[in-house]
PDB file of all heavy atoms in Angstrom:
ATOM      1  N   MET A  52     -26.086   6.031  -3.475  1.00  0.00           N
ATOM      2  CA  MET A  52     -25.915   6.747  -2.210  1.00  0.00           C
ATOM      3  C   MET A  52     -25.137   8.033  -2.430  1.00  0.00           C
ATOM      4  O   MET A  52     -24.274   8.099  -3.310  1.00  0.00           O
ATOM      5  CB  MET A  52     -25.146   5.882  -1.197  1.00  0.00           C
ATOM      6  CG  MET A  52     -25.818   4.591  -0.826  1.00  0.00           C
ATOM      7  SD  MET A  52     -24.794   3.650   0.356  1.00  0.00           S
ATOM      8  CE  MET A  52     -25.792   2.176   0.558  1.00  0.00           C
ATOM      9  N   PRO A  53     -25.399   9.063  -1.628  1.00  0.00           N
ATOM     10  CA  PRO A  53     -24.566  10.266  -1.694  1.00  0.00           C
ATOM     11  C   PRO A  53     -23.171   9.970  -1.155  1.00  0.00           C
ATOM     12  O   PRO A  53     -22.997   9.098  -0.300  1.00  0.00           O
ATOM     13  CB  PRO A  53     -25.303  11.269  -0.801  1.00  0.00           C
ATOM     14  CG  PRO A  53     -26.132  10.427   0.122  1.00  0.00           C
ATOM     15  CD  PRO A  53     -26.496   9.196  -0.651  1.00  0.00           C
ATOM     16  N   LEU A  54     -22.179  10.693  -1.665  1.00  0.00           N
ATOM     17  CA  LEU A  54     -20.786  10.494  -1.251  1.00  0.00           C
ATOM     18  C   LEU A  54     -20.306  11.703  -0.470  1.00  0.00           C
ATOM     19  O   LEU A  54     -20.435  12.842  -0.916  1.00  0.00           O
ATOM     20  CB  LEU A  54     -19.888  10.283  -2.476  1.00  0.00           C
ATOM     21  CG  LEU A  54     -18.384  10.208  -2.217  1.00  0.00           C
ATOM     22  CD1 LEU A  54     -18.054   8.988  -1.362  1.00  0.00           C
ATOM     23  CD2 LEU A  54     -17.609  10.175  -3.528  1.00  0.00           C
ATOM     24  N   LEU A  55     -19.725  11.437   0.703  1.00  0.00           N
ATOM     25  CA  LEU A  55     -19.097  12.472   1.524  1.00  0.00           C
ATOM     26  C   LEU A  55     -17.602  12.192   1.549  1.00  0.00           C
ATOM     27  O   LEU A  55     -17.191  11.077   1.879  1.00  0.00           O
ATOM     28  CB  LEU A  55     -19.669  12.480   2.937  1.00  0.00           C
ATOM     29  CG  LEU A  55     -21.161  12.813   3.056  1.00  0.00           C
ATOM     30  CD1 LEU A  55     -21.651  12.586   4.475  1.00  0.00           C
ATOM     31  CD2 LEU A  55     -21.425  14.257   2.638  1.00  0.00           C
ATOM     32  N   ARG A  56     -16.805  13.197   1.205  1.00  0.00           N
ATOM     33  CA  ARG A  56     -15.353  13.022   1.113  1.00  0.00           C
ATOM     34  C   ARG A  56     -14.653  13.745   2.257  1.00  0.00           C
ATOM     35  O   ARG A  56     -14.849  14.940   2.459  1.00  0.00           O
ATOM     36  CB  ARG A  56     -14.828  13.581  -0.217  1.00  0.00           C
ATOM     37  CG  ARG A  56     -15.371  12.913  -1.457  1.00  0.00           C
ATOM     38  CD  ARG A  56     -14.812  13.610  -2.691  1.00  0.00           C
ATOM     39  NE  ARG A  56     -15.219  12.989  -3.935  1.00  0.00           N
ATOM     40  CZ  ARG A  56     -16.332  13.263  -4.584  1.00  0.00           C
ATOM     41  NH1 ARG A  56     -17.152  14.181  -4.096  1.00  0.00           N
ATOM     42  NH2 ARG A  56     -16.617  12.653  -5.726  1.00  0.00           N
ATOM     43  N   TRP A  57     -13.810  13.011   2.976  1.00  0.00           N
ATOM     44  CA  TRP A  57     -12.962  13.611   4.014  1.00  0.00           C
ATOM     45  C   TRP A  57     -11.519  13.331   3.617  1.00  0.00           C
ATOM     46  O   TRP A  57     -11.014  12.240   3.809  1.00  0.00           O
ATOM     47  CB  TRP A  57     -13.289  13.021   5.378  1.00  0.00           C
ATOM     48  CG  TRP A  57     -12.542  13.649   6.521  1.00  0.00           C
ATOM     49  CD1 TRP A  57     -11.811  14.803   6.498  1.00  0.00           C
ATOM     50  CD2 TRP A  57     -12.457  13.159   7.869  1.00  0.00           C
ATOM     51  NE1 TRP A  57     -11.270  15.074   7.723  1.00  0.00           N
ATOM     52  CE2 TRP A  57     -11.648  14.077   8.588  1.00  0.00           C
ATOM     53  CE3 TRP A  57     -12.967  12.048   8.511  1.00  0.00           C
ATOM     54  CZ2 TRP A  57     -11.350  13.902   9.935  1.00  0.00           C
ATOM     55  CZ3 TRP A  57     -12.681  11.864   9.862  1.00  0.00           C
ATOM     56  CH2 TRP A  57     -11.884  12.784  10.558  1.00  0.00           C
ATOM     57  N   HIS A  58     -10.869  14.332   3.030  1.00  0.00           N
ATOM     58  CA  HIS A  58      -9.490  14.178   2.569  1.00  0.00           C
ATOM     59  C   HIS A  58      -8.546  14.528   3.728  1.00  0.00           C
ATOM     60  O   HIS A  58      -8.527  15.658   4.210  1.00  0.00           O
ATOM     61  CB  HIS A  58      -9.224  15.081   1.363  1.00  0.00           C
ATOM     62  CG  HIS A  58     -10.068  14.736   0.170  1.00  0.00           C
ATOM     63  ND1 HIS A  58      -9.901  13.562  -0.531  1.00  0.00           N
ATOM     64  CD2 HIS A  58     -11.088  15.389  -0.431  1.00  0.00           C
ATOM     65  CE1 HIS A  58     -10.774  13.511  -1.523  1.00  0.00           C
ATOM     66  NE2 HIS A  58     -11.513  14.601  -1.478  1.00  0.00           N
ATOM     67  N   VAL A  59      -7.785  13.558   4.158  1.00  0.00           N
ATOM     68  CA  VAL A  59      -6.924  13.701   5.334  1.00  0.00           C
ATOM     69  C   VAL A  59      -5.587  14.306   4.926  1.00  0.00           C
ATOM     70  O   VAL A  59      -4.998  13.918   3.909  1.00  0.00           O
ATOM     71  CB  VAL A  59      -6.712  12.341   6.014  1.00  0.00           C
ATOM     72  CG1 VAL A  59      -5.756  12.459   7.193  1.00  0.00           C
ATOM     73  CG2 VAL A  59      -8.052  11.760   6.460  1.00  0.00           C
ATOM     74  N   LYS A  60      -5.102  15.256   5.724  1.00  0.00           N
ATOM     75  CA  LYS A  60      -3.784  15.870   5.535  1.00  0.00           C
ATOM     76  C   LYS A  60      -2.920  15.585   6.764  1.00  0.00           C
ATOM     77  O   LYS A  60      -3.395  15.036   7.760  1.00  0.00           O
ATOM     78  CB  LYS A  60      -3.922  17.380   5.330  1.00  0.00           C
ATOM     79  CG  LYS A  60      -4.796  17.764   4.140  1.00  0.00           C
ATOM     80  CD  LYS A  60      -4.921  19.270   4.031  1.00  0.00           C
ATOM     81  CE  LYS A  60      -5.816  19.661   2.868  1.00  0.00           C
ATOM     82  NZ  LYS A  60      -5.970  21.139   2.759  1.00  0.00           N
ATOM     83  N   SER A  61      -1.670  15.986   6.690  1.00  0.00           N
ATOM     84  CA  SER A  61      -0.758  15.741   7.813  1.00  0.00           C
ATOM     85  C   SER A  61      -1.190  16.504   9.058  1.00  0.00           C
ATOM     86  O   SER A  61      -0.861  16.110  10.177  1.00  0.00           O
ATOM     87  CB  SER A  61       0.670  16.138   7.426  1.00  0.00           C
ATOM     88  OG  SER A  61       0.729  17.508   7.067  1.00  0.00           O
ATOM     89  N   THR A  62      -1.941  17.600   8.875  1.00  0.00           N
ATOM     90  CA  THR A  62      -2.367  18.421  10.012  1.00  0.00           C
ATOM     91  C   THR A  62      -3.786  18.091  10.482  1.00  0.00           C
ATOM     92  O   THR A  62      -4.272  18.692  11.432  1.00  0.00           O
ATOM     93  CB  THR A  62      -2.310  19.911   9.634  1.00  0.00           C
ATOM     94  OG1 THR A  62      -3.107  20.129   8.458  1.00  0.00           O
ATOM     95  CG2 THR A  62      -0.880  20.346   9.347  1.00  0.00           C
ATOM     96  N   THR A  63      -4.447  17.142   9.829  1.00  0.00           N
ATOM     97  CA  THR A  63      -5.834  16.829  10.153  1.00  0.00           C
ATOM     98  C   THR A  63      -5.934  16.126  11.507  1.00  0.00           C
ATOM     99  O   THR A  63      -5.149  15.237  11.820  1.00  0.00           O
ATOM    100  CB  THR A  63      -6.459  15.930   9.072  1.00  0.00           C
ATOM    101  OG1 THR A  63      -6.376  16.590   7.806  1.00  0.00           O
ATOM    102  CG2 THR A  63      -7.922  15.653   9.375  1.00  0.00           C
ATOM    103  N   LYS A  64      -6.900  16.552  12.303  1.00  0.00           N
ATOM    104  CA  LYS A  64      -7.187  15.923  13.589  1.00  0.00           C
ATOM    105  C   LYS A  64      -8.525  15.195  13.509  1.00  0.00           C
ATOM    106  O   LYS A  64      -9.429  15.604  12.775  1.00  0.00           O
ATOM    107  CB  LYS A  64      -7.241  16.968  14.708  1.00  0.00           C
ATOM    108  CG  LYS A  64      -5.954  17.776  14.857  1.00  0.00           C
ATOM    109  CD  LYS A  64      -4.774  16.886  15.208  1.00  0.00           C
ATOM    110  CE  LYS A  64      -3.492  17.695  15.378  1.00  0.00           C
ATOM    111  NZ  LYS A  64      -2.307  16.815  15.592  1.00  0.00           N
ATOM    112  N   ALA A  65      -8.652  14.115  14.275  1.00  0.00           N
ATOM    113  CA  ALA A  65      -9.875  13.321  14.239  1.00  0.00           C
ATOM    114  C   ALA A  65     -11.097  14.162  14.621  1.00  0.00           C
ATOM    115  O   ALA A  65     -12.187  13.976  14.070  1.00  0.00           O
ATOM    116  CB  ALA A  65      -9.738  12.119  15.179  1.00  0.00           C
ATOM    117  N   GLN A  66     -10.922  15.096  15.544  1.00  0.00           N
ATOM    118  CA  GLN A  66     -12.028  15.929  15.996  1.00  0.00           C
ATOM    119  C   GLN A  66     -12.677  16.687  14.841  1.00  0.00           C
ATOM    120  O   GLN A  66     -13.881  16.954  14.846  1.00  0.00           O
ATOM    121  CB  GLN A  66     -11.531  16.913  17.067  1.00  0.00           C
ATOM    122  CG  GLN A  66     -12.586  17.846  17.633  1.00  0.00           C
ATOM    123  CD  GLN A  66     -13.671  17.103  18.396  1.00  0.00           C
ATOM    124  OE1 GLN A  66     -13.404  16.065  19.004  1.00  0.00           O
ATOM    125  NE2 GLN A  66     -14.889  17.624  18.381  1.00  0.00           N
ATOM    126  N   GLN A  67     -11.884  17.033  13.829  1.00  0.00           N
ATOM    127  CA  GLN A  67     -12.420  17.786  12.695  1.00  0.00           C
ATOM    128  C   GLN A  67     -13.453  16.979  11.918  1.00  0.00           C
ATOM    129  O   GLN A  67     -14.311  17.551  11.249  1.00  0.00           O
ATOM    130  CB  GLN A  67     -11.275  18.214  11.768  1.00  0.00           C
ATOM    131  CG  GLN A  67     -10.332  19.223  12.410  1.00  0.00           C
ATOM    132  CD  GLN A  67      -9.091  19.470  11.563  1.00  0.00           C
ATOM    133  OE1 GLN A  67      -8.429  18.523  11.128  1.00  0.00           O
ATOM    134  NE2 GLN A  67      -8.787  20.739  11.319  1.00  0.00           N
ATOM    135  N   GLY A  68     -13.368  15.668  11.979  1.00  0.00           N
ATOM    136  CA  GLY A  68     -14.364  14.841  11.318  1.00  0.00           C
ATOM    137  C   GLY A  68     -15.691  14.834  12.047  1.00  0.00           C
ATOM    138  O   GLY A  68     -16.732  14.532  11.448  1.00  0.00           O
ATOM    139  N   LEU A  69     -15.655  15.146  13.358  1.00  0.00           N
ATOM    140  CA  LEU A  69     -16.882  15.217  14.147  1.00  0.00           C
ATOM    141  C   LEU A  69     -17.471  16.618  14.056  1.00  0.00           C
ATOM    142  O   LEU A  69     -18.539  16.823  13.501  1.00  0.00           O
ATOM    143  CB  LEU A  69     -16.592  14.849  15.600  1.00  0.00           C
ATOM    144  CG  LEU A  69     -15.832  13.539  15.836  1.00  0.00           C
ATOM    145  CD1 LEU A  69     -15.619  13.302  17.327  1.00  0.00           C
ATOM    146  CD2 LEU A  69     -16.572  12.375  15.197  1.00  0.00           C
ATOM    147  N   TYR A  70     -16.758  17.569  14.626  1.00  0.00           N
ATOM    148  CA  TYR A  70     -17.191  18.972  14.554  1.00  0.00           C
ATOM    149  C   TYR A  70     -16.052  19.854  15.041  1.00  0.00           C
ATOM    150  O   TYR A  70     -15.082  19.380  15.649  1.00  0.00           O
ATOM    151  CB  TYR A  70     -18.438  19.211  15.414  1.00  0.00           C
ATOM    152  CG  TYR A  70     -18.204  19.088  16.907  1.00  0.00           C
ATOM    153  CD1 TYR A  70     -17.866  20.200  17.692  1.00  0.00           C
ATOM    154  CD2 TYR A  70     -18.298  17.859  17.552  1.00  0.00           C
ATOM    155  CE1 TYR A  70     -17.639  20.087  19.050  1.00  0.00           C
ATOM    156  CE2 TYR A  70     -18.067  17.734  18.911  1.00  0.00           C
ATOM    157  CZ  TYR A  70     -17.753  18.849  19.655  1.00  0.00           C
ATOM    158  OH  TYR A  70     -17.516  18.731  21.003  1.00  0.00           O
ATOM    159  N   GLU A  71     -16.171  21.145  14.759  1.00  0.00           N
ATOM    160  CA  GLU A  71     -15.230  22.134  15.263  1.00  0.00           C
ATOM    161  C   GLU A  71     -16.002  23.278  15.904  1.00  0.00           C
ATOM    162  O   GLU A  71     -16.996  23.744  15.336  1.00  0.00           O
ATOM    163  CB  GLU A  71     -14.343  22.673  14.134  1.00  0.00           C
ATOM    164  CG  GLU A  71     -13.380  21.648  13.572  1.00  0.00           C
ATOM    165  CD  GLU A  71     -12.469  22.231  12.496  1.00  0.00           C
ATOM    166  OE1 GLU A  71     -12.899  22.253  11.328  1.00  0.00           O
ATOM    167  OE2 GLU A  71     -11.354  22.666  12.831  1.00  0.00           O
ATOM    168  N   TYR A  72     -15.548  23.689  17.073  1.00  0.00           N
ATOM    169  CA  TYR A  72     -16.177  24.803  17.791  1.00  0.00           C
ATOM    170  C   TYR A  72     -15.334  26.048  17.592  1.00  0.00           C
ATOM    171  O   TYR A  72     -14.154  26.076  17.939  1.00  0.00           O
ATOM    172  CB  TYR A  72     -16.298  24.456  19.275  1.00  0.00           C
ATOM    173  CG  TYR A  72     -16.700  25.616  20.159  1.00  0.00           C
ATOM    174  CD1 TYR A  72     -17.826  26.379  19.861  1.00  0.00           C
ATOM    175  CD2 TYR A  72     -15.948  25.949  21.282  1.00  0.00           C
ATOM    176  CE1 TYR A  72     -18.199  27.444  20.665  1.00  0.00           C
ATOM    177  CE2 TYR A  72     -16.321  27.002  22.098  1.00  0.00           C
ATOM    178  CZ  TYR A  72     -17.441  27.749  21.783  1.00  0.00           C
ATOM    179  OH  TYR A  72     -17.797  28.805  22.576  1.00  0.00           O
TER     180      TYR A  72
END
Side-chain angles (χ1 to χ4, degrees):
M52 299 179 182
L54 174 64
L55 297 172
R56 298 177 177 87
W57 184 12
H58 297 292
V59 177
K60 302 178 181 179
S61 59
T62 56
T63 302
K64 302 299 181 185
Q66 180 65 32
Q67 294 171 310
L69 309 180
Y70 68 92
E71 292 183 274
Y72 169 52

